[in-house]
Amino acid sequence: MPTLATCSTREAADAIERADVAVVPTGSTEQHGPALPLGMDHYAARAFAGAVAERDDVVSLPTIPVGVSPHHMQFDGSLTVSAETFAAYVRETVESLSEHGLRKVVFVNGHGGNVDALSRVARDLRATETAFAPTWNWWDAVDDLADDRFDEGGGHADAAESSLVWHLHEEHVDPDALTDAEAGGADSWGSSVHGATVGFDTIDFTESGAVGKPTQASPEAGADLFDAAASELAALVDWLAARPIADCWQRDHR
Amino acid sequence: MPTLATCSTREAADAIERADVAVVPTGSTEQHGPALPLGMDHYAARAFAGAVAERDDVVSLPTIPVGVSPHHMQFDGSLTVSAETFAAYVRETVESLSEHGLRKVVFVNGHGGNVDALSRVARDLRATETAFAPTWNWWDAVDDLADDRFDEGGGHADAAESSLVWHLHEEHVDPDALTDAEAGGADSWGSSVHGATVGFDTIDFTESGAVGKPTQASPEAGADLFDAAASELAALVDWLAARPIADCWQRDHR
Amino acid sequence: MPTLATCSTREAADAIERADVAVVPTGSTEQHGPALPLGMDHYAARAFAGAVAERDDVVSLPTIPVGVSPHHMQFDGSLTVSAETFAAYVRETVESLSEHGLRKVVFVNGHGGNVDALSRVARDLRATETAFAPTWNWWDAVDDLADDRFDEGGGHADAAESSLVWHLHEEHVDPDALTDAEAGGADSWGSSVHGATVGFDTIDFTESGAVGKPTQASPEAGADLFDAAASELAALVDWLAARPIADCWQRDHR
Amino acid sequence: MPTLATCSTREAADAIERADVAVVPTGSTEQHGPALPLGMDHYAARAFAGAVAERDDVVSLPTIPVGVSPHHMQFDGSLTVSAETFAAYVRETVESLSEHGLRKVVFVNGHGGNVDALSRVARDLRATETAFAPTWNWWDAVDDLADDRFDEGGGHADAAESSLVWHLHEEHVDPDALTDAEAGGADSWGSSVHGATVGFDTIDFTESGAVGKPTQASPEAGADLFDAAASELAALVDWLAARPIADCWQRDHR
Amino acid sequence: MPTLATCSTREAADAIERADVAVVPTGSTEQHGPALPLGMDHYAARAFAGAVAERDDVVSLPTIPVGVSPHHMQFDGSLTVSAETFAAYVRETVESLSEHGLRKVVFVNGHGGNVDALSRVARDLRATETAFAPTWNWWDAVDDLADDRFDEGGGHADAAESSLVWHLHEEHVDPDALTDAEAGGADSWGSSVHGATVGFDTIDFTESGAVGKPTQASPEAGADLFDAAASELAALVDWLAARPIADCWQRDHR
Amino acid sequence: MPTLATCSTREAADAIERADVAVVPTGSTEQHGPALPLGMDHYAARAFAGAVAERDDVVSLPTIPVGVSPHHMQFDGSLTVSAETFAAYVRETVESLSEHGLRKVVFVNGHGGNVDALSRVARDLRATETAFAPTWNWWDAVDDLADDRFDEGGGHADAAESSLVWHLHEEHVDPDALTDAEAGGADSWGSSVHGATVGFDTIDFTESGAVGKPTQASPEAGADLFDAAASELAALVDWLAARPIADCWQRDHR
């Protein structure tokens, strides 16, 4: 089915009528180190949404390109909106969709910094029975595969992300810079002292902006990750399509 | 110059260093009648931003796809966010850019409903000397040409818009439906009684969602409109690039 | 019927019971150049509301004297509130009225800067079926007459406004200063470059604060404008009084 | 000096230059029982502001007519805005004035329900050294005189208020209804049980809306109250005019 | 009955089922001069809540320790939140309780600065029939007794407060400093000029932070005040427990 | 050093002068199953803050007892405030402290649901150089020890939490109910389908409210956990006390 934005009102009426689930790609535009494009996270979100958008039971929405990235602002080109603004933008977008009768939604998310805001939005949308809108993070869907493939603690602009965007947008990746990314990067996300998180920004713990082992990346690994994650997303859509809407809503007081 | 999202941090640093002006495409996803795609307005914004994005003195940002469209919500597929939310989203995005040192911005806007919010944002950004960010509406730039070409009061999904998107995205236009659009449409925007605006939603004055004479549209006219407007935008960028930043800020109390 | 503020609770109960329509005068206190009073816009609003307030089917509310005028703040004496604050103030006032059972309202507006905020308020009030509250701008009601009388592009403290307030409040007009107003003024509102609005404040395009041809003003023309506009307002009230409330509400999804 | 709204920009520049103090009348439009007009509180504020407005060292602003009156909404004709909205409206108005250089302000207040909001506003304005803006309540200024004249616990639409508005606006008072006001009224404000305030609305403790002994009112007493309070206000303006602005600001941490 | 926080879910279910009234202690952490602890107001609130918490028909909530105290910030150690934030915190807490079925609440309040915010919260909670939640201030409950015992205008860290906390927490009181408190203190609260409140902060009228006659304090007087006030609170709970919930809600429009 | 609330202004001045670090205990009041008290999380926070409060270089603030717990509201007795309200409450509290000169803070946190809000607050406080305020979660500090002791995926009211509160407040624990807690509980936190989080509330995946293996709990294990975590907190305070404040602030743009 074509994406919603390509539809006329007539086509949109049909598409929404036929659809069981909407997918809303959410990403960011923020530093991914010297080798990867700033758009990494919204490219990923868009690509995964695209992978299920052909289905007759899915409507796909435009990609939300700027997310919650205040912790990347010391790196050139990073854009951010506050968690409150991002939450409002996606919530109201889904509320619109709900007015047309589509109330099962998947946030196809490419950016970890969006997760908390999306969770709050999803809670609110469910509490008012506007929509049931779980968040799907592609990296969560291929956790085991990434662990098999790469020897990294991972976190940001790592081997998994580098591989994925290399597969999706070879033209926007600079493979020669992966070595610098790793050399100036960190082994694991964050900075902790005696149980307290004391590194609030990525610059606090990585000079290159990367966290993980990007030199282990390859477009082939990216293709595998993409296929595996896309399969999981498809399965999630199947599950959600089959789930009665009444089962989606908030449970009553015990 | 590649768009910002395609840049690595290194490339972004260079691009922002070289650039005089950023362009931020803002649109909407909302009904444009039975013949045109819902994404009309963000397609237009994206296309015009793309027309100047190749310049070395310009950085282009991702397209903001959902705008202020509450008045279209009775039509299938329309999405909207509130004026406050839209304003916050674009303001914070430009604030991010300003942190990296780029403070001249053009909102390349495809949707009339965004104009008030963009004006408020631009005022705020100027008052704090964060950025000077005038709004450029493509239809304002080719007002005379459209008047020459089409015999319509115009307003929405009219001959001018239909032509433009036919030129840009023939694959998303249904020319056969233009007759229905016009037949069920209105001659002019809005509904007024003795000087008062009493039609708050498009449904109040147009059954098809169109306002104007879409049957006069052609892809050739669209190409002409596009070229003319793109030239105007290029001239605006020239003007803004040449203007000293000190002249851009708010004037002192008289 | 006396205005609401003059009524005791008993009289208010009667007045609201008898009334079909409430009028809410909204204006501003902002520069109107060297010849006209800062209160121009709320004087106009008050006067027009007064012109229909005698009717038995109308209740008139107190005049809201400060409006949305950030673009005039470089000129001495201008007052402003933000669009959000103005909107909240008028919305809550109308919500109060609606609690007493009066749900048809006309914003009798004297200031262009209030229009967007009033539109948003009116949309919200209608969406919740609190009130149907179109905005009536006096200048829109006498557009043709003003075009006949004056040779000006018009905009602010122009011949039309000067005439009106000269008619209403001769004691607050300095006719000798009209020449200075025009000499230091602009021919048309705003400042545009290649289709973009680049003059955000009036000081950006007028040194005197006036826009138009105030020297063409006369109290006689003001009287004519007043009478003509007041007739239009009366006709609007007739129309609104006769309109079934059910027809006033937002239309359902198509 | 004429009130601000009557001034042209030139006159406003002079007036603000000469002035030491601005007065901002704040009132409400709310029930004052069967005998008194809803506008009581803003009439009082306007009248007291007027009493000092002639002074060359004073600038008077337009009257804010709707205040914080949620507790009166069960009575016909009462209008209210929330405390937050009222606070924003008056704060932004005073901020405007401060931009023109006038930073000593008196809120000439006619409504008890506004006091808390005005206090919060005044605190904020002082903390940022925008303005020093104490609230003057006319009844506080003539507490002793009212106690001398009337034998009432007082509170609302009582002998003091009735007298004042009878003096100011005889045409809006219905003396015959004062007996009903008192008969259906309460002896003292509020309703308390074992130290807790349990009457949130006036309807909880007065059927007529009045609290006190309105039958003791007379226009003569009103004239006396007016003169006495106006003298106090004049003395306050003298005191404030003479006080160095540096002494007005918030004290440093001890 | 144990306080809510000590209950397991099972015990909470029983406790709420049996209870008629919840008590929510609200205080502050702010200067009370050189002799009394900063926690005075939340200690008082907690102690009074504790005095009724043993009853089977009462559930007591945790003590809210920081209140609305901006006027004390020049004194070391004072903490404050804004009125808006405090209001939201207590309102949402009571909304939670209401979800479990308990809709009669007493705010057992120890701090005068909280009263306005609590009133607004209580109004909102009643308007939506979420809860009926009057505020009980311990000093209002023992006004006469305090007048009998002490010869002071009173206000803050005075003989009454000093006595109470001396009784409750002898270990946190420095009796030797009471003389300094009184010597550097004020006789009455606030600072007024011709009817206007011109002292916004306590530092504006008291150097020690105290207002009243703390040297008259004694732990014995504190015990008497405590017992008397606790009796009043118990009587209030009786009254509220017996009052039908339908009688608690907002009255209809007259 | 005594806790802040117990100090007079004189003692507070000394305490803050001597102190390097403030600790702010943050918890919640929410279901912890049939065996543990609702106050579990604020008891833990209070206890750990108390463990370092004796130090001369530490000032401890009152415990914030209600946190962000919307996901527990189907269970009796759970209280919650929104993330926004909680964030404002703790942010303003720390801002107060900063006004007195103490700008190193540790949020001693007992509730996972507070973490996101605390992170946002800490980011804001650092960005404005108001305070550096990392969050310390006791369970993060003893992760390895808990893994050694218990065989559980863990999450909520599990063996670790049960042990800790059993050690701290034996009187509020019902050991006999631990079996029911575990039998009706879940093995791991949350509910995930193909990489998406679909369980938004605890009731979605645990009938008893517990997640983990509470039957493995013992007061002895709790004592060990407490001591180990308290040592970590002490070490964190040492680290923070020694860290120059300049090193605490946000890093500049790269």
Side-chain angles (χ1 to χ4, degrees):
Chain A
M1 185 180 300
T3 66
L4 183 69
T6 67
C7 294
S8 69
T9 49
R10 284 178 183 167
E11 293 162 345
D14 287 350
I16 292 170
E17 173 70 25
R18 280 201 309 274
D20 291 313
V21 174
V23 289
V24 180
T26 55
S28 69
T29 301
E30 68 178 28
Q31 74 89 6
H32 280 77
L36 309 190
L38 293 159
M40 165 81 224
D41 292 353
H42 75 256
Y43 294 159
R46 189 176 60 191
F48 285 113
V52 293
E54 297 304 308
R55 296 169 55 144
D56 237 35
D57 58 351
V58 168
V59 162
S60 69
L61 264 67
T63 302
I64 312 293
V66 180
V68 185
S69 310
H71 47 302
H72 292 300
M73 288 305 298
Q74 287 93 346
F75 290 89
D76 296 289
S78 297
L79 303 179
T80 190
V81 292
S82 66
E84 290 74 20
T85 294
F86 177 78
Y89 197 82
V90 298
R91 179 175 52 238
E92 295 173 23
T93 297
V94 173
E95 286 169 349
S96 305
L97 200 61
S98 178
E99 286 191 42
H100 302 302
L102 198 41
R103 297 191 291 169
K104 293 178 186 173
V105 173
V106 175
F107 289 121
V108 175
N109 182 44
H111 174 46
N114 293 344
V115 172
D116 297 333
L118 290 171
S119 297
R120 286 196 298 276
V121 167
R123 168 175 301 286
D124 291 349
L125 290 170
R126 186 165 80 144
T128 53
E129 302 195 353
T130 300
F132 179 65
T135 297
W136 180 83
N137 301 312
W138 69 265
W139 58 91
D140 286 335
V142 289
D143 214 7
D144 293 343
L145 178 59
D147 281 353
D148 285 354
R149 283 298 182 95
F150 312 117
D151 178 28
E152 62 178 354
H156 191 71
D158 56 7
E161 281 204 311
S162 299
S163 297
L164 184 75
V165 74
W166 202 342
H167 166 64
L168 294 174
H169 291 286
E170 185 177 358
E171 71 281 14
H172 301 326
V173 174
D174 178 3
D176 295 340
L178 290 169
T179 309
D180 284 0
E182 187 165 317
D187 283 344
S188 62
W189 181 267
S191 170
S192 176
V193 172
H194 298 293
T197 297
V198 298
F200 297 0
D201 294 326
T202 46
I203 192 75
D204 292 332
F205 48 85
T206 166
E207 287 301 316
S208 73
V211 177
K213 300 293 179 193
T215 61
Q216 299 177 17
S218 70
E220 294 74 26
D224 292 349
L225 288 171
F226 182 79
D227 292 345
S231 294
E232 288 295 303
L233 178 57
L236 172 64
V237 169
D238 289 340
W239 175 86
L240 191 51
R243 195 184 201 199
I245 189 70
D247 293 357
C248 294
W249 301 137
Q250 200 169 51
R251 286 186 49 184
D252 289 336
H253 198 282
R254 220 170 46 140
Chain B
M1 183 179 301
T3 65
L4 183 68
T6 67
C7 293
S8 69
T9 50
R10 285 180 183 166
E11 292 162 346
D14 287 349
I16 291 172
E17 173 70 25
R18 279 201 310 274
D20 291 312
V21 174
V23 290
V24 180
T26 54
S28 68
T29 301
E30 68 180 27
Q31 73 87 6
H32 280 76
L36 310 190
L38 293 160
M40 164 82 224
D41 292 353
H42 75 258
Y43 294 160
R46 189 175 61 190
F48 285 113
V52 293
E54 296 304 308
R55 297 169 54 144
D56 236 36
D57 59 350
V58 168
V59 162
S60 69
L61 265 66
T63 301
I64 312 294
V66 180
V68 186
S69 309
H71 47 302
H72 292 300
M73 288 304 298
Q74 287 92 347
F75 289 90
D76 296 291
S78 297
L79 303 179
T80 190
V81 291
S82 68
E84 291 72 22
T85 294
F86 178 77
Y89 196 82
V90 297
R91 180 176 51 240
E92 295 173 23
T93 297
V94 173
E95 286 169 348
S96 303
L97 201 60
S98 178
E99 286 192 42
H100 303 302
L102 198 40
R103 297 190 291 170
K104 293 178 185 172
V105 173
V106 176
F107 289 120
V108 175
N109 182 44
H111 173 46
N114 293 344
V115 172
D116 297 333
L118 290 172
S119 297
R120 286 196 298 276
V121 167
R123 166 175 302 285
D124 290 348
L125 291 170
R126 187 165 80 144
T128 52
E129 301 196 353
T130 300
F132 179 65
T135 297
W136 180 82
N137 300 314
W138 70 264
W139 58 92
D140 286 334
V142 290
D143 213 7
D144 293 343
L145 178 58
D147 281 353
D148 284 354
R149 283 300 182 93
F150 312 117
D151 179 28
E152 64 178 352
H156 190 71
D158 57 6
E161 281 203 311
S162 299
S163 297
L164 185 75
V165 72
W166 202 342
H167 165 64
L168 294 174
H169 291 286
E170 187 177 357
E171 71 281 16
H172 300 325
V173 175
D174 178 2
D176 295 342
L178 289 169
T179 308
D180 284 0
E182 189 165 316
D187 283 343
S188 62
W189 181 267
S191 169
S192 176
V193 172
H194 299 291
T197 298
V198 298
F200 297 180
D201 294 326
T202 45
I203 192 75
D204 292 331
F205 48 85
T206 167
E207 287 300 316
S208 75
V211 178
K213 300 293 178 192
T215 61
Q216 300 176 19
S218 72
E220 295 74 26
D224 291 350
L225 288 171
F226 182 79
D227 292 345
S231 294
E232 287 295 302
L233 178 57
L236 173 65
V237 169
D238 289 340
W239 175 85
L240 190 52
R243 194 182 202 200
I245 188 71
D247 292 358
C248 293
W249 301 137
Q250 200 172 49
R251 285 187 51 185
D252 289 337
H253 199 281
R254 225 174 39 143
Chain C
M1 184 179 302
T3 65
L4 183 67
T6 67
C7 293
S8 69
T9 49
R10 284 180 184 165
E11 293 162 345
D14 287 349
I16 291 170
E17 173 70 25
R18 281 201 308 274
D20 291 312
V21 174
V23 289
V24 180
T26 54
S28 68
T29 301
E30 68 179 29
Q31 74 90 7
H32 281 77
L36 308 190
L38 293 159
M40 165 80 223
D41 293 354
H42 75 258
Y43 293 160
R46 189 176 59 190
F48 285 113
V52 293
E54 297 304 309
R55 297 169 55 144
D56 238 36
D57 58 350
V58 167
V59 162
S60 70
L61 264 66
T63 302
I64 312 293
V66 180
V68 185
S69 310
H71 48 302
H72 292 299
M73 288 305 297
Q74 287 93 347
F75 290 89
D76 295 290
S78 297
L79 303 178
T80 191
V81 291
S82 66
E84 289 74 20
T85 294
F86 178 78
Y89 197 81
V90 297
R91 179 175 52 238
E92 295 173 23
T93 297
V94 173
E95 286 169 349
S96 304
L97 200 61
S98 178
E99 287 191 41
H100 303 301
L102 198 40
R103 295 190 292 170
K104 294 178 184 174
V105 174
V106 175
F107 290 121
V108 175
N109 182 43
H111 173 46
N114 294 345
V115 173
D116 298 333
L118 290 172
S119 298
R120 286 197 298 277
V121 167
R123 167 175 301 287
D124 291 349
L125 290 170
R126 187 165 79 144
T128 52
E129 301 195 354
T130 301
F132 179 65
T135 297
W136 180 83
N137 301 313
W138 69 263
W139 58 91
D140 286 335
V142 289
D143 213 6
D144 293 343
L145 178 58
D147 281 354
D148 284 353
R149 283 297 182 96
F150 312 117
D151 179 27
E152 63 178 354
H156 191 69
D158 57 6
E161 280 203 310
S162 300
S163 297
L164 185 75
V165 73
W166 202 342
H167 165 64
L168 294 173
H169 292 286
E170 186 177 358
E171 72 281 15
H172 300 327
V173 175
D174 179 2
D176 296 340
L178 289 168
T179 309
D180 284 0
E182 187 165 318
D187 283 345
S188 62
W189 181 266
S191 171
S192 176
V193 172
H194 299 293
T197 296
V198 298
F200 296 179
D201 294 326
T202 46
I203 192 74
D204 292 332
F205 48 86
T206 167
E207 287 301 316
S208 73
V211 178
K213 300 293 179 194
T215 62
Q216 299 177 18
S218 72
E220 294 74 26
D224 291 350
L225 288 170
F226 182 80
D227 292 345
S231 294
E232 288 294 305
L233 178 57
L236 173 64
V237 169
D238 289 340
W239 175 86
L240 190 52
R243 195 183 202 200
I245 190 70
D247 293 356
C248 294
W249 301 136
Q250 199 171 51
R251 286 187 50 184
D252 289 337
H253 197 283
R254 221 172 45 142
Chain D
M1 183 179 300
T3 66
L4 183 68
T6 67
C7 294
S8 69
T9 50
R10 284 180 184 164
E11 293 162 345
D14 287 350
I16 291 171
E17 173 70 25
R18 278 202 310 273
D20 291 312
V21 174
V23 290
V24 180
T26 54
S28 68
T29 301
E30 68 179 29
Q31 73 89 6
H32 280 77
L36 309 190
L38 293 160
M40 165 81 224
D41 293 353
H42 75 260
Y43 293 160
R46 189 174 61 191
F48 285 113
V52 294
E54 295 305 306
R55 298 170 54 144
D56 237 37
D57 58 350
V58 168
V59 162
S60 70
L61 264 68
T63 301
I64 312 293
V66 180
V68 185
S69 310
H71 47 304
H72 292 300
M73 289 305 297
Q74 286 93 346
F75 289 89
D76 296 289
S78 297
L79 303 179
T80 190
V81 292
S82 67
E84 290 72 22
T85 294
F86 178 78
Y89 196 82
V90 298
R91 178 175 52 239
E92 295 172 23
T93 297
V94 173
E95 286 170 349
S96 304
L97 200 61
S98 178
E99 286 192 41
H100 302 302
L102 199 40
R103 296 190 291 169
K104 293 177 185 173
V105 173
V106 175
F107 290 120
V108 176
N109 182 44
H111 173 46
N114 294 344
V115 173
D116 297 333
L118 290 172
S119 297
R120 287 197 297 276
V121 167
R123 167 175 301 286
D124 291 349
L125 291 170
R126 186 165 81 145
T128 53
E129 300 195 354
T130 301
F132 179 65
T135 296
W136 180 83
N137 300 313
W138 70 264
W139 59 90
D140 286 334
V142 290
D143 213 6
D144 292 343
L145 179 58
D147 281 354
D148 284 354
R149 285 297 184 95
F150 311 118
D151 178 28
E152 63 178 353
H156 190 71
D158 56 6
E161 281 203 311
S162 299
S163 297
L164 185 75
V165 74
W166 201 343
H167 166 64
L168 295 173
H169 291 286
E170 187 178 357
E171 72 280 16
H172 301 327
V173 174
D174 179 2
D176 295 342
L178 290 169
T179 308
D180 284 0
E182 188 165 315
D187 283 343
S188 63
W189 181 267
S191 170
S192 176
V193 173
H194 299 291
T197 297
V198 300
F200 296 0
D201 295 326
T202 45
I203 192 74
D204 292 332
F205 48 85
T206 166
E207 286 301 316
S208 73
V211 178
K213 300 292 179 193
T215 61
Q216 300 176 17
S218 72
E220 295 73 26
D224 291 348
L225 288 171
F226 182 79
D227 292 345
S231 294
E232 288 295 302
L233 178 57
L236 172 64
V237 169
D238 289 340
W239 176 84
L240 190 52
R243 195 183 202 199
I245 188 71
D247 293 357
C248 293
W249 301 137
Q250 200 170 51
R251 286 188 49 184
D252 290 337
H253 198 280
R254 225 173 39 144
Chain E
M1 185 180 299
T3 65
L4 184 68
T6 67
C7 294
S8 69
T9 49
R10 284 180 184 165
E11 292 161 346
D14 287 349
I16 291 171
E17 173 69 24
R18 280 202 309 273
D20 291 312
V21 174
V23 290
V24 180
T26 55
S28 68
T29 301
E30 68 180 26
Q31 74 89 6
H32 279 77
L36 309 190
L38 293 160
M40 164 82 224
D41 293 353
H42 74 259
Y43 294 160
R46 188 175 60 191
F48 285 113
V52 293
E54 296 305 308
R55 296 170 55 145
D56 237 36
D57 58 351
V58 168
V59 161
S60 70
L61 264 65
T63 301
I64 312 293
V66 181
V68 185
S69 310
H71 48 302
H72 292 300
M73 288 305 297
Q74 287 94 346
F75 289 88
D76 296 289
S78 297
L79 303 178
T80 190
V81 292
S82 67
E84 290 74 19
T85 294
F86 178 78
Y89 196 82
V90 296
R91 180 175 51 239
E92 296 172 23
T93 297
V94 173
E95 287 169 348
S96 306
L97 201 60
S98 179
E99 286 192 42
H100 303 302
L102 198 41
R103 297 190 292 168
K104 293 178 185 173
V105 173
V106 175
F107 290 121
V108 175
N109 183 43
H111 174 46
N114 294 344
V115 173
D116 297 333
L118 290 172
S119 297
R120 287 197 297 277
V121 166
R123 167 174 301 286
D124 291 350
L125 290 170
R126 187 165 80 145
T128 52
E129 302 196 352
T130 301
F132 179 65
T135 296
W136 179 83
N137 300 313
W138 69 265
W139 58 91
D140 286 334
V142 289
D143 214 6
D144 293 343
L145 178 59
D147 281 354
D148 285 352
R149 285 297 183 96
F150 312 116
D151 178 28
E152 62 177 355
H156 190 70
D158 56 6
E161 282 203 308
S162 300
S163 297
L164 184 74
V165 73
W166 202 342
H167 166 64
L168 294 173
H169 292 285
E170 187 177 356
E171 71 281 15
H172 301 327
V173 174
D174 178 2
D176 295 340
L178 289 168
T179 309
D180 284 0
E182 187 165 317
D187 282 345
S188 63
W189 181 266
S191 170
S192 174
V193 172
H194 299 291
T197 297
V198 298
F200 297 179
D201 294 325
T202 46
I203 191 75
D204 292 332
F205 49 84
T206 167
E207 287 302 314
S208 73
V211 178
K213 300 292 178 193
T215 61
Q216 299 177 17
S218 71
E220 294 72 27
D224 290 350
L225 288 171
F226 183 79
D227 292 345
S231 294
E232 287 295 302
L233 178 56
L236 173 63
V237 169
D238 289 339
W239 175 85
L240 191 51
R243 196 183 201 199
I245 189 71
D247 293 358
C248 294
W249 301 137
Q250 201 170 50
R251 285 188 48 184
D252 289 337
H253 198 282
R254 221 172 44 140
Chain F
M1 182 178 302
T3 66
L4 183 68
T6 67
C7 294
S8 69
T9 49
R10 285 181 184 163
E11 292 162 346
D14 287 349
I16 292 172
E17 173 69 25
R18 280 202 308 275
D20 292 311
V21 174
V23 290
V24 181
T26 54
S28 68
T29 301
E30 68 179 29
Q31 73 89 6
H32 279 76
L36 309 189
L38 293 159
M40 164 82 223
D41 292 353
H42 76 257
Y43 293 160
R46 188 175 61 190
F48 285 113
V52 293
E54 295 306 308
R55 296 169 56 145
D56 237 36
D57 59 351
V58 167
V59 162
S60 70
L61 264 66
T63 301
I64 312 292
V66 181
V68 186
S69 310
H71 47 302
H72 292 300
M73 289 304 297
Q74 286 93 347
F75 289 88
D76 295 290
S78 297
L79 303 179
T80 190
V81 292
S82 67
E84 291 72 21
T85 294
F86 178 78
Y89 197 82
V90 297
R91 179 175 51 239
E92 296 173 24
T93 297
V94 173
E95 286 169 349
S96 305
L97 200 62
S98 178
E99 286 192 42
H100 302 302
L102 198 40
R103 298 190 291 170
K104 294 178 185 172
V105 173
V106 175
F107 289 121
V108 176
N109 182 44
H111 173 46
N114 294 344
V115 173
D116 297 333
L118 290 172
S119 298
R120 286 196 299 275
V121 166
R123 167 174 301 287
D124 290 349
L125 291 170
R126 186 164 82 144
T128 53
E129 302 196 352
T130 300
F132 179 65
T135 297
W136 180 82
N137 300 313
W138 70 264
W139 58 91
D140 287 334
V142 290
D143 213 6
D144 292 343
L145 178 58
D147 280 355
D148 284 354
R149 283 298 183 94
F150 312 117
D151 178 28
E152 64 178 351
H156 190 71
D158 56 6
E161 281 204 309
S162 300
S163 296
L164 185 75
V165 73
W166 201 343
H167 165 65
L168 294 173
H169 291 286
E170 186 177 356
E171 72 280 15
H172 301 326
V173 175
D174 178 3
D176 295 342
L178 290 169
T179 308
D180 284 359
E182 188 165 317
D187 283 344
S188 62
W189 181 267
S191 169
S192 176
V193 172
H194 299 291
T197 297
V198 298
F200 297 180
D201 295 326
T202 45
I203 192 75
D204 292 332
F205 49 85
T206 166
E207 287 302 316
S208 74
V211 177
K213 300 292 178 193
T215 62
Q216 300 177 15
S218 72
E220 295 73 28
D224 291 349
L225 288 171
F226 182 78
D227 292 345
S231 294
E232 288 296 303
L233 178 57
L236 172 64
V237 169
D238 289 340
W239 175 85
L240 190 52
R243 196 183 200 199
I245 188 72
D247 293 357
C248 293
W249 301 138
Q250 200 171 50
R251 285 188 51 184
D252 289 336
H253 198 280
R254 226 175 39 146

